[in-house]
């Protein structure tokens, strides 16, 4: 009797053992669900530590048997290709982890491409051949501290902002002493003195616009900060006659040092557009009672235009033009169509180029092509009804910053192309638009400093603001 039980037990164990091992393949090993760990513990055994394809296909060679687009890669991870030996991961990886895995695969692919590619790393004054023009880079001003933005004065001088809080002139390669009396800034993290621009009627009215991070003033908001916009005039090297154009209520100030946005665009009809980043509080981007995570539109004197989309909507700020933005740090008006274009610094993956239109929701953080910096997912959703898609997204991120449409005549084949800067990837890119599509992208140079901003100079040169090393330089044509 005892023997029979033992035999039965053995049989049961054998059956269950076999079933168990069938069911157990694959089993998710990772406890920590950061995407790099998930990959290392579950995929690297077959695909190689660097995705180079140990036992099976490489994921960094740009060859995709099951389709090259994000959706196809996500599908093969989810469903597997079991007859070929690729296990399905649905049920073990959540949809948002599968999205994070796609971002991770894209990052590794880009790293491999960059190791193989020859992108120009120009030394000053050396000709660089690009697709349309040969140019050289020439320093315009050095001895700056984290320069942020530039404005061109009619007399040939420039104004430059430095993030720690100074506004200076650049004249003939020399950098002036700071203009006295400019606003006191909260210089912390990404905040400080940021944008500078001249009113379109500057020649007659003398207005200079500045944006800066301001500290909150009472206990509740002691460590808080928010972006403020002012205008003033410069007389005898002093900032005078300051007027507030935009200052949010104190209760809305947010602690932390990230995501202040900040560029200015004036249109032909007396409006000023400017973005404010979500200040690291991503849900605020969807909250219309708060200023952060929005593009705003005001009259150039700060009044609210009556045709703004949220005028009269209860609990909404009337200055809001569009919302659902993370950290737009590039804003430019198309020289022909007048449309407003913006670049938005994304999370890890998911930097965006957007066409900014009245009243629309750009989706952050409900939809995004990126994941958290620590490799954990944000969401699996990259699109959703009622939320705007970017015109383009960069995954992996390039750390996109300022942008400018080229409007000069020194580089005729670049006319109206969109120049895009990148901090982490240290790039200047040239984008060709066809209507609302990007039809060409070229990296003009790389790895010579963080590229903070770009501007189309009235003299036809392309001006570039670098951080680390801090300087302003310009692209000049070289005759071929
Ligand atoms: C047991 C081995 C094994 C493991 C573990 C594995 N894969 Fe695969 N994977 C394969 C094989 C084999 C193929 C190729 C199938 C083919 O050639 O048809 C493949 C194909 C793929 C493809 C499609 C490649 C293409 O060319 O289209 C992707 C994407 C992929 N795997 C991702 C992953 C990810 C992400 C993980 C971890 C979550 C993973 N794989 C884990 C074996 C594995």
């Amino acid at each position: 009797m005892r023997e029979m039980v033992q035999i039965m037990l053995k049989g049961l164990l054998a059956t269950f053992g076999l079933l168990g091992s069938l069911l157990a393949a694959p089993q998710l090993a990772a406890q920590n669900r950061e995407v790099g760990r998930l990959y290392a513990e579950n995929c690297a055994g077959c695909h190689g530590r660097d995705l180079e394809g140990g036992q099976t296909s490489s994921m960094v060679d740009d060859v995709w048997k099951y389709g090259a687009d994000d959706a196809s890669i996500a599908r093969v991870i989810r469903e597997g290709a079991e007859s070929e030996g690729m296990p399905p991961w649905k049920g073990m990886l959540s949809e948002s982890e599968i999205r994070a895995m796609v971002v991770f695969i894209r990052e590794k692919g880009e790293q491999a491409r960059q190791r193989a590619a020859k992108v120009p790393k120009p030394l000053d004054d050396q000709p660089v051949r690009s697709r349309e023009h040969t140019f050289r880079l020439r320093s315009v001003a050095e001895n700056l501290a984290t320069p942020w933005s530039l404005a061109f004065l009619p007399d040939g001088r420039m104004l430059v902002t430095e993030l720690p809080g100074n506004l200076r002139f650049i004249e003939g390669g020399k950098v002036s002493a700071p203009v006295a009396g400019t606003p006191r800034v909260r210089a912390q993290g990404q905040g400080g003195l940021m944008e500078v621009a001249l009113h379109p009627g500057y020649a007659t009215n003398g207005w200079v616009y500045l944006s800066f991070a301001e500290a909150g003033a009472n206990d509740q908001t002691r460590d808080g900060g928010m972006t403020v916009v002012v205008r003033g005039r410069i007389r005898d090297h002093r900032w005078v006659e300051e007027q507030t154009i935009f200052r949010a209520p104190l209760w809305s100030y947010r602690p932390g040092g990230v995501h202040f946005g900040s560029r200015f665009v004036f249109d032909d009809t007396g409006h000023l557009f400017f973005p404010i980043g979500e200040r690291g509080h991503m849900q605020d981007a969807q909250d219309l009672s708060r200023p952060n995570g929005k593009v705003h539109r005001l009259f150039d004197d700060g009044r609210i235009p009556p045709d703004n989309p949220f005028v009269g909507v209860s609990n909404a700020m009337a200055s809001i033009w569009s919302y659902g933005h993370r950290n737009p740090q590039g804003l430019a008006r198309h020289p022909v169509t007048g449309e407003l274009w913006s670049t938005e610094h994304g999370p890890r993956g998911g930097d965006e180029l957007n066409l900014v239109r009245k009243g629309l929701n750009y989706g952050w953080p409900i939809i995004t092509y990126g994941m958290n910096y620590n490799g954990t997912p944000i969401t699996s959703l990259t699109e959703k009804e009622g939320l705007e898609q970017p015109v383009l997204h960069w995954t992996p991120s390039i750390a996109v910053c300022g942008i400018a449409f080229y409007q000069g005549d020194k580089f005729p084949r670049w006319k109206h192309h969109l120049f895009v800067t990148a901090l982490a990837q240290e790039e200047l890119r040239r984008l060709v638009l066809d209507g609302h599509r990007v039809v060409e992208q070229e990296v003009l140079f790389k790895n010579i400093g963080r590229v903070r901003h770009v501007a189309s100079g009235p003299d036809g040169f392309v001006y570039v603001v670098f951080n680390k090393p801090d300087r302003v330089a310009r692209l000049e044509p070289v005759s071929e």
Side-chain angles (χ1 to χ4, degrees):
M1 181 68 197
R2 202 184 311 142
E3 247 165 90
M4 275 211 26
V5 172
Q6 272 180 350
I7 289 166
M8 274 174 65
L9 263 175
K10 264 190 197 154
L12 272 174
L13 279 174
T15 321
F16 274 110
L18 185 64
L19 261 179
S21 62
L22 277 176
L23 288 172
Q27 224 170 43
L28 199 65
Q31 298 301 307
N32 173 342
R33 302 188 71 93
E34 180 271 320
V35 67
R37 281 281 288 274
L38 285 177
Y39 179 83
E41 293 177 7
N42 301 290
C43 323
C46 292
H47 287 282
R49 204 187 55 155
D50 294 314
L51 290 66
E52 74 286 5
Q55 312 287 320
T56 177
S57 52
S58 164
M59 292 197 274
V60 293
D61 60 359
D62 273 338
V63 180
W64 295 102
K65 182 169 169 186
Y66 298 94
D69 57 301
D70 286 8
S72 303
I73 293 173
R75 189 180 325 110
V76 68
I77 298 173
R78 188 186 306 117
E79 309 295 339
E82 282 182 276
S83 58
E84 310 293 331
M86 166 66 180
W89 294 91
K90 62 171 174 247
M92 272 152 294
L93 295 176
S94 67
E95 273 306 302
S96 54
E97 284 167 340
I98 291 174
R99 175 64 208 165
M101 198 60 83
V102 173
V103 176
F104 181 78
I105 292 169
R106 295 297 190 204
E107 286 176 350
K108 295 292 179 189
E110 185 58 30
Q111 285 163 14
R113 256 191 305 283
Q114 287 191 9
R115 277 193 295 274
K118 285 200 195 66
V119 186
K121 184 179 171 176
L123 296 172
D124 277 21
D125 298 329
Q126 271 189 6
V128 177
R129 284 187 86 95
S130 73
R131 282 181 208 156
E132 303 290 354
H133 286 288
T134 300
F135 64 88
R136 67 168 161 241
L137 197 71
R138 181 163 283 178
S139 251
V140 173
E142 294 174 358
N143 301 318
L144 292 158
T146 319
W148 217 90
S149 193
L150 272 185
F152 301 91
L153 293 155
D155 63 10
R157 291 181 301 164
M158 279 173 265
L159 280 168
V160 59
T161 48
E162 293 176 316
L163 192 63
N166 290 321
L167 176 66
R168 300 177 191 268
F169 288 95
I170 298 174
E171 182 174 15
K174 294 219 167 56
V175 178
S176 80
V179 172
T182 53
R184 220 180 106 148
V185 308
R186 176 182 185 266
Q188 186 194 320
Q190 298 164 6
L193 183 59
M194 296 172 294
E195 177 69 320
V196 56
L198 305 184
H199 188 281
Y202 172 84
T204 48
N205 65 29
W207 286 121
V208 177
Y209 287 67
L210 295 175
S211 75
F212 62 97
E214 182 185 67
N218 63 33
D219 276 356
Q220 223 186 327
T221 55
R222 191 171 40 212
D223 297 313
M226 193 53 74
T227 307
V228 169
V229 179
V230 297
R231 70 177 177 185
R233 297 188 170 97
I234 301 173
R235 202 166 291 137
D236 302 326
H237 216 69
R238 290 195 67 79
W239 177 254
V240 295
E241 294 159 26
E242 179 177 297
Q243 296 178 355
T244 300
I245 301 299
F246 178 85
R247 176 175 273 118
L250 259 186
W251 64 260
S252 71
Y253 283 37
R254 283 295 203 184
V258 299
H259 308 171
F260 293 87
S262 225
R263 296 287 171 193
F264 296 150
V265 161
F266 293 94
D267 68 9
D268 295 333
T269 46
H271 302 101
L272 168 66
F273 294 87
F274 61 94
I276 301 183
E278 38 72 307
R279 302 286 294 100
H281 294 258
M282 42 184 177
Q283 301 306 336
D284 288 3
Q286 294 295 325
D287 180 348
L288 290 171
S289 72
R290 290 185 171 271
N292 42 331
K294 315 293 173 346
V295 172
H296 298 264
R297 176 193 190 236
L298 294 172
F299 283 126
D300 55 16
D301 60 1
R303 281 175 304 124
I304 304 275
D307 58 342
N308 266 9
F310 300 103
V311 167
V313 175
S314 73
N315 239 340
M317 286 185 83
S319 57
I320 294 172
W321 181 251
S322 61
Y323 64 111
H325 297 287
R326 184 176 182 274
N327 192 23
Q329 295 192 98
L331 193 70
R333 187 164 180 264
H334 192 285
V336 178
T337 65
E339 288 167 330
L340 193 62
W341 290 76
S342 154
T343 42
E344 188 163 320
H345 200 118
R348 182 168 159 193
D351 280 354
E352 295 182 354
L353 174 68
N354 285 309
L355 182 61
V356 175
R357 287 184 280 201
K358 179 177 179 173
L360 298 185
N361 184 349
Y362 288 77
W364 175 254
I366 303 166
I367 56 170
T368 174
Y369 287 89
M371 62 178 165
N372 289 311
Y373 284 112
N374 67 7
T376 58
I378 295 170
T379 169
S380 65
L381 294 185
T382 53
E383 49 191 282
K384 195 174 177 191
E385 186 73 37
L387 303 178
E388 297 310 301
Q389 279 292 299
V391 170
L392 180 81
H393 71 94
W394 289 276
T395 306
S397 301
I398 57 174
V400 68
C401 200
I403 57 175
F405 285 100
Y406 180 68
Q407 308 195 45
D409 46 21
K410 290 235 163 42
F411 295 102
R413 290 186 294 282
W414 285 352
K415 193 102 186 171
H416 300 161
H417 292 182
L418 182 66
F419 285 76
V420 173
T421 63
L423 293 163
Q425 286 300 321
E426 303 194 348
E427 291 172 356
L428 181 67
R429 289 186 180 225
R430 180 181 61 91
L431 272 56
V432 184
L433 304 179
D434 177 8
H436 298 164
R437 281 185 320 132
V438 175
V439 292
E440 188 186 334
Q441 268 198 81
E442 181 184 23
V443 177
L444 288 172
F445 60 74
K446 192 171 169 63
N447 293 337
I448 52 170
R450 289 162 67 79
V451 192
R452 171 70 63 186
H453 195 34
V454 59
S456 178
D459 52 13
F461 297 120
V462 176
Y463 285 78
V464 185
V465 178
F466 288 96
N467 292 172
K468 293 187 183 170
D470 294 335
R471 64 167 177 160
V472 175
R474 70 184 191 196
L475 274 54
E476 301 178 350
V478 174
S479 51
E480 283 135 281

